[in-house]
Amino acid sequence: MDWRDYCVDEMAKHRCFSSAMHKKRFIEMFEKVQSEPFFTREICKCLFLAAWERKYTNEMEEILDGLIKSKAMDARKLAGTRKNRSITPNEKEIYKLAQEFLDNPGQTPDESCLIKLSKAWIPLGDCALQVSEIIDSL
């Protein structure tokens, strides 16, 4: 069996999702792209971050649709991609974390990235680090 077969269950078992909607959005995106040639563990980690809130999920789904439509073999297009809109300092740190996942396959950034997040955003960052370790261990 492939790591993808265990991914969602392991994340749920370790209570990584912040809400039922977070889990639902993640599963929807995961099922959409899990068999695409560009789908990697690193993309999976980014999906977890994007699933946290609907507006980020919508942005990620647009990017994924573009990758699917162009029959992309890898997700280089994903790196550095985001909507041209102003972002909060917390969003900036989460985007940096996603970029760390993409730039360093098989590695989990250290928790120093959490220092720059506000109290409300720390659970997302912390769980994303946990998800990274879980995915890399599968």
Side-chain angles (χ1 to χ4, degrees), residues 41-130:
R41 294 171 194 258
E42 291 66 43
I43 300 297
C44 190
K45 296 171 189 182
C46 293
L47 296 184
F48 176 82
L49 288 169
W52 189 51
E53 196 172 294
R54 174 49 65 190
K55 70 179 178 179
Y56 308 119
T57 305
N58 291 345
E59 288 177 9
M60 180 62 84
E61 285 178 334
E62 282 183 39
I63 294 165
L64 295 173
D65 288 342
L67 292 170
I68 292 167
K69 185 177 179 179
S70 69
K71 297 183 186 335
M73 296 304 288
D74 62 48
R76 281 184 229 154
K77 180 182 174 185
L78 186 62
T81 304
R82 67 175 176 261
K83 291 287 185 192
N84 287 334
R85 62 173 173 81
S86 61
I87 60 172
T88 68
N90 288 308
E91 289 172 322
K92 182 178 178 181
E93 293 307 313
I94 294 299
Y95 282 126
K96 282 184 190 176
L97 182 57
Q99 193 63 51
E100 282 279 320
F101 292 149
L102 295 171
D103 290 345
N104 302 294
Q107 297 180 28
T108 297
D110 68 37
E111 62 276 356
S112 65
C113 64
L114 302 177
I115 293 170
K116 295 181 181 177
L117 293 173
S118 71
K119 187 176 180 179
W121 287 70
I122 288 174
L124 174 62
D126 191 39
C127 287
L129 297 177
Q130 183 180 14

